[in-house]
Structure formats: structure tokens, C-alpha cells
Amino acid sequence: MIFDTHAHYYDGAFDPDRDELLAALPSMGVALVLCPGCDLESSRASIALAEKFGYLYAAVGFHPENLEGASLDQLDQVRTMSAHPKVKAIGEIGLDYYWVKTPEARAFSRDFFDAQLSLAEELDLPAVVHDRDAHRDCLDIVRAHPGCRGVFHCYSGSVEDAKVLLDRGWMLSFTGNITFANARRGPEVVKFMPMDRLMLETDAPYMAPEPFRGKRCDSTMIRLTAERVAEWKGLSAEEVLDITLENGERFFGID
């Protein structure tokens, strides 16, 4: 059974058939899904989906690409939403230096990331971290929060950075991009790391694995990613799915 630990089912790509797809996923082998928000609106939408579908859970927070017009005092609303019983994490939070270009915007995103990790510490919730082209600053801010636990989703860092995070008790999660022909770092890290610290995700509707690269992704496609992990770890795909399901349940505190 599949645990998709990161899927954005509120995204407009699912508007034509969202309810039909989400109603059908359990019959296609999907046991659990975590849907992270990117701002207040999408965080509320994640909670609404979690209320409607029992196997779906939510995370709440501000993505670094969604900070235009945001203010730190809006984290009070994130704190309020986090009290919902279906909310299992603060996320998707972090840094993105690919899209966030100016020094001022990057500094603001660092302040926001720091504040959201503080919130996760305060609430004793894990953090779901987005890191794109900002490895050094992400690690520095994580180091400043020794009481915080979390996962780097769609992990794209080096084996050396992975060691730092694993030594701190963090998890790493991987999408279908590790199946791409040009994938290098992801496979290296997967081969290196212990299975009890690894989770799988889609980042749906993005990051569909081969042979569906570029198409709309959904949680059933994790099986293809699990098959690739299984090759590298000397396991069966079913074993990979079972282990990552247990890892996700433990990490997010889902019975």
C-alpha cells in the first residue's frame, strides 16, 4: 500500500476530476496521502480535502514562492489551523533561490522559514521543507532549530548534506524525478541512506516518474518510483512500499 507523503490535490490540474480521482485512489492501492499547503488559501483547501477523504491528511504553511503580500503575523492563522486533528505538519515551507531572486526577497524568505520552523518547534509538529538551490542557507536555518524534526521533500542535495540531516534525525523524501535518465544526486543519496529514513512522494500534479514524465501525476505512480528504489536497495517494490508506509505513519504520527 502506498503513502504519498506530498501531493497538492487542491491544484487546478485536478479541477476536472478531483473528487472522482480521490474517491478511487484507495481502490488503486493508495493507503494515505499528505497534502501540504502553500499559503493560507491552499492550507485551508488541504484541510477541507482531509475532512472529506478519510485517508488524506494536511500540512499548513507558506511556501517560499508564495510570500508576496504575506506577513509574519499571518502565522497566527497557521497556528490556529494546525490545531485541526487532520493537520500533521507545518509545510510546505523553506527556501527557493531558483524563483526568488532579489536579495530582499531572499532575506524575507529566510525570516519566514525561520519563523515557521519556530512554530513547528512550538507545536511539536514536523516540518515539510522545500529546498531549491538554497542548500547552505536551508541547512544553516535547520541547525538553528535543534528541537525541530522534519523532512526535506523532493530531496535534491548531496550525500554530504544528507548526512548532516540524517545525523539530526531528519527524513528525506523522493519524487519520480529519481527515475529520470539524467538523475544523479537522488539515486546516489537513495543508495547511501538507510531505508528507515526514506519516504516517497509524488509532488502531484508534478514530477511524474518515467515513462509518464511531463504528464499529470497522481499517487498511484509512486509504485514506479518504488520499483527504482527497490533496484538500488536490493528489495522488492512491495517491501519498499511497506517500509515507506511505516516510515510515513511514524513520522507524521498517523495510527
Side-chain angles (χ1 to χ4, degrees), residues 4-254:
D4 184 352
T5 60
H6 196 110
H8 300 279
Y9 280 116
Y10 52 78
D11 189 273
F14 297 105
D15 285 352
D17 61 347
R18 180 180 294 106
D19 283 1
E20 293 85 352
L21 174 64
L22 291 177
L25 287 181
S27 68
M28 294 187 283
V30 177
L32 294 167
V33 174
L34 186 96
C35 186
C38 291
D39 52 23
L40 295 179
E41 180 181 3
S42 57
S43 293
R44 294 188 188 101
S46 295
I47 293 172
L49 288 173
E51 290 175 336
K52 189 169 185 178
F53 298 95
Y55 69 93
L56 197 151
Y57 291 83
V60 294
F62 280 90
H63 190 290
E65 293 177 44
N66 293 69
L67 294 178
E68 186 174 354
S71 61
L72 288 170
D73 60 11
Q74 289 178 309
L75 293 183
D76 287 337
Q77 296 181 61
V78 175
R79 180 184 287 104
T80 298
M81 283 189 283
S82 70
H84 192 285
K86 295 297 293 283
V87 171
K88 296 298 182 179
I90 301 297
E92 174 180 357
I93 67 177
L95 301 176
D96 190 314
Y97 290 173
Y98 181 84
W99 292 110
V100 180
K101 300 290 191 182
T102 69
E104 296 79 11
R106 288 182 175 182
F108 183 58
S109 69
R110 288 192 293 271
D111 289 343
F112 232 96
F113 183 31
D114 182 75
Q116 291 188 99
L117 284 183
S118 293
L119 181 61
E121 282 182 299
E122 171 196 331
L123 300 173
D124 193 26
L125 286 172
V128 178
V129 173
H130 171 104
D131 168 19
R132 188 172 186 186
D133 295 351
H135 305 315
R136 295 275 68 78
D137 285 350
C138 271
L139 285 176
D140 286 346
I141 294 173
V142 165
R143 287 189 184 99
H145 295 270
C148 192
R149 55 200 168 93
V151 56
F152 270 55
H153 106 91
C154 193
Y155 183 75
S156 60
S158 65
V159 169
E160 291 71 27
D161 289 346
K163 290 177 181 176
V164 173
L165 291 165
L166 294 171
D167 286 346
R168 302 184 72 86
W170 281 54
M171 306 285 283
L172 305 178
S173 183
F174 298 88
T175 70
N177 66 351
I178 64 172
T179 71
F180 298 169
N182 62 349
R184 181 178 60 84
R185 279 186 163 184
E188 289 175 353
V189 175
V190 171
K191 292 172 186 178
F192 153 77
M193 67 182 295
M195 280 299 298
D196 65 349
R197 308 295 287 283
L198 185 149
M199 297 193 297
L200 296 179
E201 59 172 280
T202 56
D203 203 15
Y206 312 107
M207 296 295 183
E210 296 289 3
F212 300 106
R213 185 175 182 176
K215 299 183 183 299
R216 190 186 79 170
C217 190
D218 67 63
S219 300
T220 62
M221 295 182 186
I222 278 185
R223 184 169 296 277
L224 296 167
T225 308
E227 290 172 358
R228 195 63 57 90
V229 173
E231 294 173 14
W232 298 328
K233 304 299 277 188
L235 300 168
S236 68
E238 288 73 20
E239 287 173 314
V240 170
L241 291 175
D242 286 346
I243 292 167
T244 54
L245 172 64
E246 292 172 5
N247 291 347
E249 288 174 328
R250 181 180 67 252
F251 176 72
F252 290 112
I254 298 172

